[in-house]
Amino acid sequence: MSVSDLDPVPAVALLARPGAARERLREALAHADVQIVLEDDPMTLEPQALHDARPQFVVIALEAAIEDALERLEPALSAPGLTLVFDEAELAARRDGWEAQRWGRHLAAKLHGHQQVLPPGAEDEPALQLEPGLPSTPPVPKETALQPHLEQARSWADDVPADGLYSPPAHLHEPVALEQALAALQPVLPETAAPVQAAPEPPPVPAAASSVFTDHTAWSLVDEASDAPAVASAATSTESAEPAFDTGHLSLVDLDATAPAGSRSGALLVLAGIGGPDALRRLLAALPSGLAVPVLVHMRLDGGRYGNLVKQMARVSPLPVQLAEAGQRATAGEVHVLADDIGVHAAADGLYFQSEAQGISIAALSAEHSALVLLSGADLAHVGPALDLAAAGAWVAGQVGEGCYDPAAATAVVAAGMVAGEPQELAQVIAARWGLDDDGDAA
């Protein structure tokens, strides 16, 4: 029994310009057991016609020529309950053979909401490992069988040593209160302690002065005029003894300069590939409007049309989205899309983009203050460096779920014990760790 026998047939609208990409997508939908309620060119399609078709899914072949058309269809594409599935038109046109069949199975799984992405017949293969059945109920021991052992233990009980064999020394006792316990820990001082050096005795007071202080009838007010020179001299000596406090060289501390370099070189790096635009769109749309770290996005695109990717993600992302350029500094709270030849290097005041033939290097990030997310289509070569960064203290996660068309790299990091979840779920965790409140403070 197929999935379509259990669930209603999904209604799908196909939006693509006439050509090879549209033909490939139509073939994939024909094998996916869905109902195509609308197939049209987005350049000429009216929003009302898309609304009247009432599709549940809209499959869109992305290319630069339909950017303005998608903006015009935005009201209809934003309808509640409508799921958008994006595919690169150039990739769809070249997809053939085994790759086309594999992508079609993933597309059908997404449209029907299940996880069956194996070729026909593979799901019926027998399990290679034996599965044990229910454990048998252990026998209940009979009391008659235990009775001889109980009697033997009772007969040997008198020979077991008791506490009476141990008697503590007479000079030791167990404290019964906290005060006694603390007192028992204090060292005992010897009775004859070393004499403390006596303070020097004050000089003897003249007899005349003694009589003055003992006879209070002779007391009188101080003569300010006669004592003024002595008071002034005492004040002068006191002022000369105190050190002078120089305020001419005071300055404010540059807190940003004294902060650890690693805290300014942290970032959230997102890696994606096949099926990545849809996963990246869901991840960015669920992020908050402020983050304490910059977001770096690296997704390989045939043809290098990263400008189009910036426009697509800017429509859904609450954070500003821009294309990274060599020499530019990565700004916290902004999304930077990296081309294949753009890498990063850490400086004293943060991360800077630079030209790199090999592209982004995961090892260039500060592990303690960085995060790494592997979405659908991430390169398997990034798994090893990602796990090394996680071992050094970074937060690493991988995408799971029906929308992950190429889960090889993401599944590898999840199998190694990293965080797993849908793009929206991962965005919630990122917001809790690196999000900013309304005052710009970390959450």
Side-chain angles (χ1 to χ4, degrees):
M1 180 180 295
S2 64
V3 179
S4 60
D5 297 333
L6 302 176
D7 299 330
V9 177
V12 180
L14 174 59
L15 302 185
R17 298 177 64 194
R22 183 166 170 177
E23 297 294 334
R24 295 288 188 274
L25 291 176
R26 186 190 306 114
E27 293 175 1
L29 292 175
H31 291 88
D33 195 12
V34 299
Q35 179 185 4
I36 302 179
V37 296
L38 177 65
E39 179 181 344
D40 205 340
D41 186 352
M43 303 290 293
T44 59
L45 179 64
E46 295 296 332
Q48 187 61 37
L50 178 60
H51 180 270
D52 294 340
R54 300 187 180 278
Q56 298 171 273
F57 298 87
V58 178
V59 179
I60 303 175
L62 288 176
E63 52 183 324
I66 67 170
E67 292 292 332
D68 297 336
L70 292 181
E71 293 183 1
R72 181 173 51 83
L73 296 173
E74 183 68 21
L77 295 176
S78 303
L82 187 62
T83 303
L84 305 182
V85 180
F86 295 95
D87 189 19
E88 290 288 338
E90 185 176 351
L91 290 177
R94 295 202 313 263
R95 196 178 291 127
D96 195 6
W98 178 86
E99 184 180 0
Q101 296 176 8
R102 177 178 175 274
W103 188 89
R105 291 194 300 269
H106 283 276
L107 177 61
K110 183 176 184 64
L111 298 178
H112 288 279
H114 60 76
Q115 301 291 334
Q116 299 178 9
V117 295
L118 297 177
E123 63 275 6
D124 298 330
E125 294 181 359
L128 298 180
Q129 297 181 355
L130 297 179
E131 298 180 358
L134 294 176
S136 58
T137 305
V140 180
K142 297 182 180 180
E143 185 177 356
T144 56
L146 295 177
Q147 191 62 31
H149 302 284
L150 296 177
E151 294 177 356
Q152 184 180 23
R154 189 179 299 108
S155 63
W156 289 351
D158 296 336
D159 299 334
V160 177
D163 293 340
L165 296 178
Y166 172 77
S167 58
H171 65 280
L172 295 179
H173 64 278
E174 183 178 357
V176 295
L178 178 61
E179 292 79 2
Q180 295 181 359
L182 295 177
L185 298 177
Q186 299 298 326
V188 180
L189 298 178
E191 295 182 357
T192 58
V196 181
Q197 184 178 1
E201 296 182 358
V205 182
S210 175
S211 63
V212 172
F213 284 101
T214 55
D215 185 8
H216 66 276
T217 59
W219 291 2
S220 62
L221 296 176
V222 177
D223 188 358
E224 297 181 358
S226 61
D227 294 343
V231 174
S233 62
T236 304
S237 62
T238 303
E239 293 177 358
S240 61
E242 293 181 354
F245 188 74
D246 186 9
T247 61
H249 298 84
L250 294 180
S251 62
L252 295 177
V253 177
D254 188 358
L255 297 179
D256 185 66
T258 57
S263 62
R264 298 186 298 275
S265 59
L268 167 61
L269 176 59
V270 182
L271 303 174
I274 297 177
D278 181 58
L280 179 62
R281 173 179 171 272
R282 290 189 287 162
L283 176 72
L284 296 182
L287 289 179
S289 57
L291 281 180
V293 293
V295 181
L296 312 182
V297 175
H298 176 63
M299 182 171 61
R300 292 191 178 276
L301 295 177
D302 292 340
R305 295 191 301 273
Y306 292 98
N308 295 338
L309 182 63
V310 171
K311 295 179 182 179
Q312 297 169 18
M313 298 307 155
R315 296 192 184 99
V316 298
S317 173
L319 301 174
V321 183
Q322 57 180 316
L323 187 63
E325 298 179 358
Q328 178 187 11
R329 179 183 177 184
T331 305
E334 295 185 4
V335 180
H336 302 272
V337 177
L338 308 181
D340 293 340
D341 58 349
I342 294 294
V344 295
H345 73 278
D349 57 344
L351 280 176
Y352 282 84
F353 302 113
Q354 63 182 5
S355 297
E356 289 286 349
Q358 295 80 13
I360 182 67
S361 174
I362 297 178
L365 300 178
S366 170
E368 184 180 357
H369 304 280
S370 295
L372 182 61
V373 177
L374 281 76
L375 298 178
S376 174
D379 194 346
L380 277 173
H382 290 147
V383 173
L387 296 180
D388 293 340
L389 198 70
W395 182 85
V396 178
Q399 178 189 357
V400 296
E402 60 184 25
C404 193
Y405 297 108
D406 186 4
T411 304
V413 296
V414 171
M418 302 297 105
V419 181
E422 293 276 0
Q424 301 92 323
E425 298 172 346
L426 300 180
Q428 294 175 1
V429 180
I430 293 170
R433 292 172 63 96
W434 292 279
L436 301 178
D437 55 18
D438 296 337
D439 298 330
D441 299 327

